Amino acid sequence: MTPLSTVRLQLHSEFGFDAAREQVPYYSRLGVSHFYLSPVTRARPGSRHGYDVVDPTRVSGELGGEEGLIRLAERLHEHDMGLILDIVPNHMAVHADNAWWWSVLELGVKSPYAAWFDINWQAADPQLRGKVMAPFLARPYAESLANGDIRLAYDGRAAAWRIEACGNPYPIAEGTMPGLGLDPAQSQSLFSGDHADGRQRLHDLLERQHYRLSWWRSAADGINWRRFFDITELIGVRVELEETFEAVHALPLSLYEDGWIDGLRIDHVDGLADPLGYCRRLRTALDERASRRPAGPGSDRAWIVVEKILAPSETLDGDWQADGTTGYDFMDQVGAVLHDPGGKAALTSAWSAVAQDGRDVREHVRQARALMLQRYFVAERKALLEALHDVAQRGLEGRDWSIEAIGRVMDELLIDFSVYRTYADGSGRRQADADLFKRLLPVVAERLELERYEGGQLLACLDGWLGGKPCGSVAIPDAPGSGDARKAVLNRFQQLTPPLAAKSLEDTVFYRYGRLLSRNEVGSDPAVFSLSVDDFHQQNAWRARYGNMSMLATATHDHKRGEDVRARLAVLSEIPLQWGRKAGGWLRDAEHEYPVGSARRAGERYMLFQMLVGAWPLDLAPDAASGRQAYLDRIATWQLKALREAKQGSSWMAPDQAYEARAAEFIDSLRVGGPNHALLTEIGEFAHDVAPAGVVNSLAQLMLRLMSPGIPDLYQGTELWDFSLVDPDNRRAVAYEPRSRLLEELDGKDSSALLRDWRSGAVKQSVLTRSLALRRSMPELFRKGEYVPLRIDGPRSGHVLAFMRVLGEQHAIVVVPRLCAQAIGLGASTPMLPAAYWRGTRLVLPSRYAGAALSDALTGERFGGGAGGVLDVAGLLAGLPVALLVEA
């Protein structure tokens, strides 16, 4: 069963399959067709997200086991609903419960799983050859030995000796533990770190193991295995190997064949060695099992979506054999079309003045990429350069280039790299990748020339090596091992650029550059401030033709701020001068008690003010004592993460507790009775003033997500207002009882009642429910329907976005406002625009609909098609801020 819509649920021990099962009737009433679950395989004990997998072959017992998953699927089937699983083929947790990892630690290269993980067993460092680095010590190795962080332990149940390091067990290889003939206590005393002889014995024992225990800080420089980004607790898996692929996918393929699931979401597909080959292999494996499903031949194909960040020029073509992405591209586009380009200059100027930094986003990204290469991905960079140097030495044109020279040129190329990755293989580049390098190489060459470095010739060689082909006519393509060497280069390069891109932009620049935080979102480029209506229509028209099965998202478990936070902050793009005066005043007021002391601090405080305004709960009164502290606690957690992600005053790698404490003190000063209590009250008043315009943006965003070509996804709990922050805030438990109660009351509420109660979120839930009901009543219209932009005439034509979905005689017409904050005004009582604002503005339908009887699926209001198919926008948007018209 192909999804019509999905709801993303975050599972953990406190919300497992049985808890999800209880919510099936509720989501069925909402109109959702499929549950879309976070990873369900066995993860590290106590995992709150499931991406730290320890056994991909088993369903998590903490969630309820396979029996619990099947019970959930059965309940969904009773409601004509289905199930989508999120799978993690790229990495696993390095944890004692991971039997594959344990085997590698115990047996080294002789482990049957030694090749399954992306480990360089022939590392340049002689101390790591034939070993795996284990950088998990809290302190340097010598200190850890001396203070007892590393000790010999006896596992009575397994009747075996273990190494225990920082509370985690490690195996001892067979034949390396001397037979002492002593009881455990006596043996442990001999290997105790309390005395020099014991430390030496323990060290000698550790040196005989297949792993090398190290201080966690040494990982960035010396790790000899691929991590997930820079997370040392997650090791890369080589699913490009057939036996690894089969083991990792046996469970989801079996669940699909047995009819319990209908599709898969692929986590971090760009982390794989060959994403396109992987998707083709997965599609083939699913197709082979489709005929054996209980539904029998002819049932819908499995739905496959991939988590991938698309650059503006990127698309997923047919080679991917995937139905689309997980929707970050749509999230970016729908957010951008709700931003006013007229506010860009003023907001840029305000940010530059506050932060005393006039650099554009591109320069921030370049600086962050350089930092990542120099400090966070040192080992990954080194592995790439070693692979390139190996290829260089196999050909005549490359033999003169040192590894240092290759590094200088490669760094410039990586710093200017503009997409997540390329997809070259042994036969060369795809056309899109060739076009990318055609644009990129002149930029890199110019920079090398400016730096007076003779790197042009080497850059040409790198171009050839990174294209999967040998460099120049005098290269030696048939040299022994040359094919494997070039493949290693491609893998190293193409698996480095995705984490480099993500960590530089999303996890660094997003927390440094604060012009307007609603444009600092996963899938977005802060340099792209807004999107025109015409460009939005073009994106949707493309999606209707080529991506109508792609997911549409506006909130995810990875978002930096909730969908309604972004919608409210977008209002600031329409009132940049008012915002500038307010924020400037707050900065001056805060200086009296808590001076910033630096431009960087001022920028951080400016971003903090944006978050306080954007995330202010609608049910929190500006001067309320109750609820204020809970809100500030959430903001403080966000700020700590923001400071460390920015990697300026503090960082995860080297936290500056004094710097963080000073920032926390300012937030604490905003509490009830604190010296800046009045300042927070003023911020809350401004948040309430812009809230109605933000709600109009939110409803427009919701309607566009539900009706645009693709499969709309609902992130758990966001059927009401979503003012969440970055994780873990966006993964908080959902309060289902009030949501269920509001849903039960919807039938008795007309649009005026919903608007009177707009702060509760019932109006958002109503728009969602009635729109999804329409999708379910006309599934083919939204699966295959044409996308037709509609013309708007009149004085407010730039403030309306409208389109039709058309399939034969079926149609649906969507009308949403945009950039209407000035018309709504600050401090409005309801999120509605006055009818007079729309005077003279008309929606023009295709001539075939002239005079047709239409009704609004959201309000029940009826409309005539109008003379010549012209409808007054004022009438269409009289009941709610958005309209969804169908044949009456």
Side-chain angles (χ1 to χ4, degrees):
M1 179 170 57
T2 303
L4 289 170
S5 59
T6 59
V7 60
R8 166 71 179 206
L9 298 181
Q10 293 295 117
L11 303 178
H12 47 79
S13 59
E14 296 160 28
F15 188 84
F17 300 133
D18 286 345
R21 187 169 173 265
E22 292 178 7
Q23 302 308 325
V24 170
Y26 167 70
Y27 281 115
S28 177
R29 294 198 305 274
L30 274 184
V32 170
S33 77
H34 281 68
F35 276 16
Y36 152 42
L37 303 181
S38 60
V40 303
T41 48
R42 188 165 168 250
R44 193 186 336 229
S47 174
R48 304 294 292 181
H49 50 75
Y51 292 99
D52 42 2
V53 177
V54 296
D55 187 353
T57 70
R58 293 171 54 194
V59 177
S60 167
E62 288 190 11
L63 301 181
E66 189 165 342
E67 298 82 2
L69 178 63
I70 290 173
R71 286 196 302 271
L72 171 58
E74 288 173 336
R75 174 64 64 86
L76 287 165
H77 292 169
E78 291 170 5
H79 288 77
D80 295 321
M81 299 169 68
L83 194 58
I84 306 298
L85 293 189
D86 186 347
I87 63 170
V88 191
N90 175 68
H91 54 266
M92 294 178 70
V94 286
H95 189 273
D97 286 356
N98 183 342
W100 302 352
W101 170 249
W102 186 270
S103 172
V104 167
L105 294 179
E106 187 172 29
L107 302 176
V109 293
K110 294 182 180 179
S111 166
Y113 308 107
W116 290 29
F117 296 114
D118 202 347
I119 301 168
N120 180 10
W121 293 104
Q122 298 300 320
D125 183 351
Q127 301 299 322
L128 282 173
R129 286 176 195 157
K131 294 193 174 192
V132 59
M133 189 183 201
F136 307 120
L137 299 178
R139 285 178 274 199
Y141 177 75
E143 288 183 31
S144 297
L145 281 176
N147 63 27
D149 284 354
I150 307 174
R151 66 186 189 90
L152 184 67
Y154 188 74
D155 184 342
R157 288 193 301 176
W161 288 101
R162 301 279 185 251
I163 296 295
E164 189 175 280
C166 297
N168 296 310
Y170 295 84
I172 292 177
E174 185 177 357
T176 61
M177 178 69 187
L180 303 175
L182 303 173
D183 65 35
Q186 292 172 316
S187 296
Q188 286 170 319
S189 178
L190 283 175
F191 288 84
S192 172
D194 292 340
H195 50 89
D197 288 346
R199 287 194 295 275
Q200 187 61 49
R201 289 190 191 95
L202 185 55
H203 170 69
D204 290 343
L205 176 62
L206 288 168
E207 289 291 275
R208 293 192 288 271
Q209 303 313 307
H210 298 294
Y211 51 88
R212 183 177 174 85
L213 284 173
S214 309
W215 188 25
W216 69 270
R217 287 181 180 272
S218 65
D221 292 332
I223 201 165
N224 65 331
W225 42 272
R226 180 171 57 88
R227 301 172 289 175
F228 172 67
F229 288 20
D230 60 342
I231 302 174
T232 310
E233 290 76 23
L234 300 174
I235 186 170
V237 176
R238 298 182 64 205
V239 289
E240 64 269 24
L241 303 179
E242 185 173 352
E243 58 183 342
T244 315
F245 179 92
E246 291 176 354
V248 169
H249 295 85
L251 176 64
L253 290 174
S254 173
L255 291 170
Y256 174 72
E257 181 175 333
D258 291 341
W260 301 123
I261 66 171
D262 297 312
L264 299 171
R265 180 258 196 195
I266 314 304
D267 181 66
H268 189 47
V269 73
D270 273 344
L272 306 180
D274 180 11
L276 279 76
Y278 166 84
C279 288
R280 290 192 292 266
R281 176 183 278 183
L282 180 61
R283 172 64 75 189
T284 298
L286 288 165
D287 284 350
E288 287 175 351
R289 289 158 175 79
S291 62
R292 300 195 291 270
R293 282 166 59 84
S299 61
D300 294 332
R301 295 180 84 190
W303 189 53
I304 302 176
V305 288
V306 295
E307 185 200 28
K308 173 170 172 55
I309 304 295
L310 293 174
S313 60
E314 278 189 294
T315 59
L316 291 189
D317 59 27
D319 286 349
W320 277 84
Q321 290 293 299
D323 292 296
T325 71
T326 53
Y328 295 134
D329 47 323
F330 178 81
M331 187 159 71
D332 168 46
Q333 295 156 15
V334 75
V337 81
L338 297 175
H339 281 70
D340 187 349
K344 178 180 178 180
L347 288 170
T348 303
S349 177
W351 167 253
S352 298
V354 168
Q356 296 180 29
D357 188 346
R359 292 175 299 163
D360 63 19
V361 178
R362 306 296 185 204
E363 283 306 307
H364 282 279
V365 173
R366 283 182 49 80
Q367 183 185 50
R369 281 176 170 264
L371 173 65
M372 292 298 115
L373 290 170
Q374 294 163 6
R375 189 67 187 91
Y376 289 83
F377 293 121
V378 180
E380 290 82 357
R381 172 185 178 272
K382 187 189 305 180
L384 170 60
L385 298 184
E386 289 169 354
L388 282 166
H389 190 247
D390 182 29
V391 167
Q393 297 308 301
R394 294 173 185 272
L396 301 183
E397 288 190 357
R399 70 189 303 272
D400 294 324
W401 298 114
S402 67
I403 197 167
E404 290 78 13
I406 293 172
R408 286 191 291 269
V409 177
M410 176 54 67
D411 284 351
E412 292 296 335
L413 191 150
L414 288 169
I415 287 170
D416 276 309
F417 207 68
S418 60
V419 299
Y420 260 56
R421 68 166 286 163
T422 53
Y423 302 93
D425 57 24
S427 62
R429 295 190 181 116
R430 307 171 84 235
Q431 187 59 50
D433 295 336
D435 293 342
L436 168 69
F437 271 82
K438 188 175 181 180
R439 296 189 302 269
L440 174 63
L441 293 178
V443 175
V444 176
E446 182 179 4
R447 195 175 298 280
L448 291 169
E449 187 175 337
L450 288 173
E451 295 177 359
R452 300 185 180 280
Y453 178 63
E454 299 288 341
Q457 236 181 336
L458 176 52
L459 182 62
C461 283
L462 287 176
D463 180 31
W465 296 330
L466 296 176
K469 294 182 178 179
C471 170
S473 58
V474 294
I476 310 177
D478 296 324
S482 61
D484 289 342
R486 290 196 302 273
K487 184 177 180 182
V489 163
L490 288 174
N491 286 353
R492 294 293 181 196
F493 177 72
Q494 294 181 148
Q495 289 180 296
L496 170 58
T497 58
L500 178 63
K503 294 300 293 184
S504 301
L505 181 63
E506 297 167 20
D507 292 341
T508 304
V509 174
F510 278 5
Y511 296 96
R512 291 182 175 185
Y513 182 77
R515 175 173 63 185
L516 188 59
L517 295 184
S518 47
R519 294 303 296 141
N520 292 13
E521 190 51 78
V522 180
S524 300
D525 180 352
V528 180
F529 188 78
S530 59
L531 189 71
S532 71
V533 170
D534 286 345
D535 286 341
F536 182 80
H537 283 320
Q538 288 179 12
Q539 296 284 359
N540 261 356
W542 182 93
R543 196 174 279 113
R545 291 191 64 186
Y546 305 108
N548 65 336
M549 294 302 295
S550 191
M551 183 178 279
L552 307 177
T554 50
T556 75
H557 59 288
D558 282 331
H559 66 232
K560 302 301 182 185
R561 55 211 104 244
E563 61 186 26
D564 298 317
V565 177
R566 299 194 306 274
R568 185 185 293 172
L569 288 176
V571 173
L572 304 185
S573 72
E574 302 180 60
I575 54 169
L577 298 182
Q578 294 98 312
W579 161 251
R581 286 192 294 271
K582 284 287 186 182
W586 299 337
L587 287 167
R588 289 190 296 273
D589 291 346
E591 276 290 290
H592 297 305
E593 295 285 340
Y594 291 88
V596 291
S598 69
R600 181 201 300 155
R601 285 282 200 189
E604 290 166 356
R605 191 165 290 178
Y606 185 77
M607 289 188 277
L608 171 64
F609 288 153
Q610 289 184 56
M611 290 302 294
L612 285 166
V613 168
W616 193 282
L618 287 171
D619 59 356
L620 179 61
D623 59 351
S626 175
R628 178 182 285 222
Q629 189 58 50
Y631 180 51
L632 290 177
D633 288 345
R634 291 175 54 217
I635 290 291
T637 301
W638 167 83
Q639 181 178 250
L640 177 61
K641 182 167 186 173
L643 293 176
R644 291 185 176 181
E645 295 285 21
K647 306 171 189 68
Q648 297 184 119
S650 190
S651 69
W652 296 107
M653 185 172 284
D656 185 330
Q657 295 183 349
Y659 192 92
E660 295 169 356
R662 183 65 178 164
E665 285 172 10
F666 176 71
I667 292 180
D668 192 53
S669 77
L670 302 172
R671 72 189 188 284
V672 175
N676 280 315
H677 168 80
L679 174 59
L680 184 62
T681 298
E682 188 175 340
I683 292 171
E685 289 170 349
F686 183 77
H688 276 256
D689 284 346
V690 298
V695 163
V696 171
N697 279 346
S698 293
L699 294 177
Q701 177 178 250
L702 173 64
M703 182 57 59
L704 294 175
R705 169 164 56 92
L706 295 172
M707 295 293 117
S708 291
I711 310 299
D713 176 55
L714 170 72
Y715 184 66
Q716 60 175 27
T718 61
E719 62 271 27
L720 303 187
W721 305 123
D722 173 31
F723 296 106
S724 61
L725 311 176
V726 71
D727 66 279
D729 192 77
N730 60 14
R731 302 176 186 182
R732 289 178 297 158
V734 176
Y736 282 106
E737 192 279 328
R739 285 167 169 77
S740 184
R741 185 176 63 252
L742 281 175
L743 184 59
E744 290 172 358
E745 297 169 354
L746 275 187
D747 287 342
K749 291 184 177 180
D750 59 16
S751 59
S752 60
L754 291 170
L755 289 172
R756 284 194 301 272
D757 187 32
W758 63 276
R759 293 181 184 275
S760 73
V763 63
K764 184 181 182 183
Q765 188 186 57
S766 175
V767 170
L768 172 75
T769 304
R770 290 166 183 169
S771 299
L772 289 181
L774 181 65
R775 286 187 70 101
R776 296 196 80 162
S777 69
M778 296 190 289
E780 292 305 300
L781 170 65
F782 294 99
R783 281 185 179 144
K784 302 176 182 178
E786 185 181 358
Y787 180 90
V788 181
L790 295 177
R791 195 177 91 219
I792 305 293
D793 289 340
R796 310 297 183 192
S797 59
H799 296 270
V800 182
L801 191 160
F803 59 85
M804 294 184 72
R805 302 297 308 278
V806 180
L807 182 67
E809 297 302 315
Q810 292 185 334
H811 62 268
I813 300 166
V814 177
V815 185
V816 303
R818 62 186 291 270
L819 312 184
C820 296
Q822 300 280 5
I824 297 169
L826 296 180
S829 59
T830 58
M832 284 292 288
L833 291 100
Y837 177 75
W838 298 116
R839 187 174 296 120
T841 304
R842 297 171 298 276
L843 171 69
V844 181
L845 299 175
S847 58
R848 63 180 286 198
Y849 298 101
L854 303 171
S855 67
D856 190 337
L858 306 179
T859 65
E861 293 293 322
R862 297 172 68 90
F863 305 93
V870 176
L871 295 168
D872 287 331
V873 171
L876 298 179
L877 302 183
L880 286 174
V882 295
L884 176 58
L885 309 179
V886 294
E887 187 175 5

